[in-house]
Amino acid sequence: MKFFIDTADLTEIRSLAGSGLLDGVTTNPSLIAKNGGVFAKVIAEICEIIPGPVSAEVAGTEYDQIMAEAKVLRKIAGNVCIKVPLTPDGLRACKHLSNDGTMVNVTLCFSAAQALLAAKSGASFISPFVGRVDDIGWDGMQLISDIVDIYNNYDFKTEVLVASVRGPNHVIEAAKMGAHVATLPPAVLRSLFNHPLTDKGLATFLADWAKTGQSIV
Ligand code: E4P
């Protein structure tokens, strides 16, 4: 399973890049607004830090505008992935961009039917938002399961990118279902390391090692 990081915070991205666990980055207009900075410059810097796909979302909603913005964004770096909304115009742009060899992430997916449309439009990634589905009392992970099943029935190349992840359980459940990618807020990625028995065991080992009076180097 690939891990993307869901942030536009350059400090976080730099710090987590050293973990060797990051395969890509997703941003969205809210994350860009939260972190500040000039959009194109922020994306360029992220693309330099992380060689994998870096999603940059268009602000246009009509086909011509989406295509014009995509043309600008994809010039920023070879690893920019154009993020388009799951709308008729967004999917039309997805089809054209994908045919030209541009990576496209279709965002704001909340149903299996929408995911099917995105795959037929040649998307590189489909982003179902599990946390937001859970928030309205539906089952976000059931959505992932449905999409993985549907994609497995056909020869779609579209990767399932689990988005709006709120905690480790979303990641584990998605991995069990065989989702290709999860995009994680930095805090969720860090939380995956945690287990109280690891902390307790390490404390015991260190205390016992100190008793030996030895050093390895
Ligand atoms: C995905 O690409 C989105 O940026 C993100 O996962 C949305 O998550 P949220 O529901 O926590 O805003």
Side-chain angles (χ1 to χ4, degrees), residues 6-7 26-31 55 57 83 105 107-108 127-132 135 161-166 183-185:
D6 197 27
T7 185
T26 51
T27 67
N28 64 38
S30 305
L31 293 171
S55 289
E57 188 160 342
K83 206 171 180 190
N105 176 358
T107 190
L108 293 168
S127 290
F129 279 35
V130 292
R132 294 193 196 185
D135 288 346
L161 194 173
V162 181
S164 189
V165 166
R166 300 282 160 79
T183 188
L184 313 179

Side-chain angles (χ1 to χ4, degrees), residues 11-22:
T11 309
E12 284 281 33
I13 294 168
R14 275 194 201 97
S15 120
L16 287 163
S19 70
L21 293 168
L22 295 193

